[in-house]
């Protein structure tokens, strides 16, 4: 009995020793995989790549955008991009972005997180954004503004507010007080003195309506409503016979501006003295032999000046066309029509003492001069064109080009001309008369 028990204990002990030895050798061969190889433990020694551009909504109410960043994968020894995402706002906190800092010869990641936000801003808000709106009758536009939320500037879009009788909207504003900026909210205030604006209206907006036959464009304007300027777009009005549209206007009366309504009026029969005719327009003159030029002029039509272009006319022998002109008469401007007038032949100059008499007419040309040449000219304000002509020189005709003559008060330029006297031709010089 005792020998059997002894053999059992010995065998059990040997088995246990064998098991412990095997287990010990196994534990000695197991490596802790929670820590990488020594080279994988090292922090990056090179700067991260530039951040990637991420496209996302500029604003998401109640959320803050967390920008993406580069992360260091130690096992792979490479940089890996972590995309950005939205985080729900935390009241009284703002998000501090993560960043990589160089410390010695290594780069260390400083994680981002929520930090206590400044209650009031110490820097001025950004410039207001441009907002394009159209007038809305019965409403006032409340302009957008910057708001300070959780340590960041956030843009709040503008909106319409219904008008209130006897009141106007005072815009919100940021004021610097004791080194911090404080928001003064906008509100409706009594406006007993805001019936008329004290400052001139803004510059009118650019409107390009084009042309519409049978209609007149009534330009848009600024209107004063509840203490604010509101733009009223232009519109088309159907034309009315023998009437013209008189535009409205803002006039300074005393210390304020008042609007004078436009409307349809019967145009004056003659232009008033404070509306002189515009300068004549430049015209290209092309004449052929036997033609004369009747210059264009401004005419008064339905309360406004309208340009009547010049035209070619048959030349009248021995006559020239005298242009019409605008003159002041009976408190307004009146147009006097032009007409053909006969050329005045200047008398021959008296002979000088001891001057030999002129050569006999028989020495002149016996054949008529050639037709005058065509000289293209353009109108030149303040000058008169003296046309070219043929001259008898050395027993033949030679062409003398035309030239400009400066206008003379109360005088008319008379063109020179050839006349046949007997069997010879004589040239009579032009001049001022």
């Amino acid at each position: 009995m005792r020998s059997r028990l002894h053999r059992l204990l010995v065998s059990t002990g040997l088995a246990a020793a064998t098991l412990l030895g095997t287990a010990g050798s196994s534990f000695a061969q197991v490596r802790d995989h929670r820590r990488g190889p020594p080279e994988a433990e090292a922090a990056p020694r090179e700067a991260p790549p530039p951040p990637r551009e991420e496209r996302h909504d500029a604003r998401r109410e109640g959320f803050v955008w967390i920008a993406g960043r580069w992360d260091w994968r130690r096992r792979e020894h490479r940089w890996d991009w972590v995309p950005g995402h939205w985080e729900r706002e935390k009241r009284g906190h703002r998000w501090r972005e993560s960043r990589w800092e160089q410390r010695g010869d290594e780069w260390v990641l400083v994680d981002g997180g929520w930090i206590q936000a400044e209650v009031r801003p110490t820097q001025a808000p950004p410039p207001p954004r441009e907002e394009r709106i159209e007038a809305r009758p019965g409403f006032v536009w409340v302009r957008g503004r910057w708001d300070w939320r959780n340590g960041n500037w956030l843009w709040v879009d503008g909106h319409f507010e219904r008008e209130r009788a006897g009141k106007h909207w005072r815009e919100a504003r940021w004021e610097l007080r004791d080194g911090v900026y404080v928001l003064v909210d906008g509100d409706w205030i009594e406006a007993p003195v805001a019936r008329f604006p004290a400052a001139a209206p803004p510059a009118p907006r650019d409107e390009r309506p084009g042309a519409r036959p049978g209609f007149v464009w009534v330009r848009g304007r600024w209107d004063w409503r509840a203490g604010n300027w509101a733009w009223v777009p232009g519109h088309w009005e159907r034309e009315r016979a023998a009437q013209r549209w008189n535009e409205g206007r803002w006039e300074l009366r005393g210390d304020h501006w008042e609007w004078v309504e436009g409307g349809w009026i019967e145009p004056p029969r003659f232009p008033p003295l404070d509306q002189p005719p515009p300068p004549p327009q430049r015209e290209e003159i092309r004449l052929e032999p036997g033609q004369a030029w009747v210059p264009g002029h401004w005419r008064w039509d339905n309360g406004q000046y309208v340009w009547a272009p010049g035209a070619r006319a048959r030349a009248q022998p021995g006559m020239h066309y005298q242009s019409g002109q605008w003159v002041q008469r009976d408190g307004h401007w009146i147009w006097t029509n032009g007409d053909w007038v006969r050329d005045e032949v200047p008398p021959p100059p008296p002979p000088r003492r001891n001057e030999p008499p002129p050569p006999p007419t028989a020495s002149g040309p016996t054949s008529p001069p050639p037709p005058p040449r065509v000289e293209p000219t353009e109108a030149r304000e303040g000058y008169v064109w003296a046309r070219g002509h043929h001259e008898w020189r050395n027993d033949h005709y030679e062409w003398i080009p035309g030239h400009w003559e400066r206008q003379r008060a109360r005088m008319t330029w008379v063109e020179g001309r050839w006349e046949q006297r007997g069997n010879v031709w004589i040239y009579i010089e032009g001049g001022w008369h």
Side-chain angles (χ1 to χ4, degrees), residues 5-48:
L5 178 62
H6 177 72
R7 288 195 299 269
L8 178 63
L9 291 174
V10 171
S11 61
T12 304
L14 291 174
T18 303
L19 179 62
L20 289 173
T22 305
S25 63
S26 299
F27 289 148
Q29 296 176 0
V30 173
R31 181 166 54 88
D32 187 359
H33 291 279
R34 292 175 297 173
R35 304 177 64 85
E39 60 274 12
E41 296 287 343
R45 298 179 181 274
E46 59 180 12

Side-chain angles (χ1 to χ4, degrees), residues 191-268:
V193 296
R195 181 181 177 188
F196 300 105
R205 295 182 178 176
D206 186 20
E207 296 179 306
R208 301 181 182 181
R212 187 178 178 186
F215 288 81
V216 173
W217 175 255
V218 178
R219 292 178 297 181
R221 65 177 180 87
W222 289 102
D223 195 15
W224 183 252
R225 297 179 181 177
N228 292 281
W229 291 108
W231 177 254
V232 180
H235 63 280
W236 291 101
E237 287 273 347
R238 188 177 295 277
E239 289 182 348
R240 300 184 184 183
Q243 289 188 332
R244 70 178 179 89
W245 176 261
N246 186 39
E247 294 286 351
R249 63 192 183 278
W250 281 98
E251 288 187 353
L252 181 61
R253 298 180 179 179
D255 59 350
H256 64 273
W257 291 79
E258 291 190 23
W259 173 253
V260 180
E261 287 289 347
W264 291 98
I265 62 173
E266 184 176 351

Side-chain angles (χ1 to χ4, degrees), residues 95-245:
W95 177 260
R96 183 187 62 192
E97 298 289 349
S98 61
R99 66 188 185 278
W100 283 93
E101 289 186 354
Q102 188 175 16
R103 298 178 182 177
D105 59 351
E106 296 181 342
W107 288 82
V108 178
L109 175 65
V110 179
D111 280 323
W114 292 99
I115 61 176
Q116 195 73 24
E118 298 176 2
V119 179
R120 294 181 178 178
T122 57
Q123 299 293 330
R129 295 180 180 176
E130 183 181 2
E131 297 176 302
R132 294 185 176 272
I133 61 168
E134 293 292 340
R136 186 178 175 186
F139 288 81
V140 171
W141 176 253
V142 177
R143 291 180 296 180
R145 63 174 176 82
W146 290 101
D147 195 13
W148 182 256
R149 295 184 185 177
N150 298 329
N152 293 285
W153 289 109
L154 181 66
W155 177 257
V156 180
D157 293 329
H159 62 280
F160 280 103
E161 287 274 345
R162 189 176 295 277
E163 290 180 350
R164 301 185 184 184
K167 293 186 177 183
H168 78 272
W169 176 258
R170 180 176 60 187
E171 297 290 348
R173 64 191 184 278
W174 284 94
E175 291 185 354
L176 182 61
R177 299 177 182 177
D178 299 329
V180 296
Y181 280 86
V182 178
L183 176 64
V184 180
D185 281 322
D187 57 352
W188 291 96
I189 61 175
E190 297 291 336
V193 296
R195 181 181 177 188
F196 300 105
R205 295 182 178 176
D206 186 20
E207 296 179 306
R208 301 181 182 181
R212 187 178 178 186
F215 288 81
V216 173
W217 175 255
V218 178
R219 292 178 297 181
R221 65 177 180 87
W222 289 102
D223 195 15
W224 183 252
R225 297 179 181 177
N228 292 281
W229 291 108
W231 177 254
V232 180
H235 63 280
W236 291 101
E237 287 273 347
R238 188 177 295 277
E239 289 182 348
R240 300 184 184 183
Q243 289 188 332
R244 70 178 179 89
W245 176 261

Side-chain angles (χ1 to χ4, degrees), residues 87-100:
E87 285 274 348
R88 188 175 295 277
E89 287 182 346
K90 292 187 178 182
R91 186 176 182 83
H93 291 73
R94 67 181 179 88
W95 177 260
R96 183 187 62 192
E97 298 289 349
S98 61
R99 66 188 185 278
W100 283 93

Side-chain angles (χ1 to χ4, degrees), residues 349-396:
R352 300 178 181 177
R353 290 185 177 183
N354 302 326
E355 184 178 0
T361 58
S363 61
T366 57
S367 59
R373 296 180 182 179
V374 177
E375 296 178 306
T377 62
E378 295 183 358
R380 187 178 177 185
E381 188 174 355
Y383 288 81
V384 173
W385 177 253
R387 290 179 295 182
H389 65 278
H390 283 94
E391 187 174 303
W392 182 257
R393 293 181 180 180
N394 300 325
D395 297 333
H396 68 278

Side-chain angles (χ1 to χ4, degrees), residues 13 21 47-48 50 58 69 74 109 137 139 237 279 313 335-336 345 347 351 362 388 392 400 409 429 433:
R69 64 174 176 83
R74 300 190 177 191
L109 175 65
F139 288 81
E237 287 273 347
W335 170 254
T336 58
V345 180
W392 182 257
I400 307 300
E429 292 286 348
H433 299 278

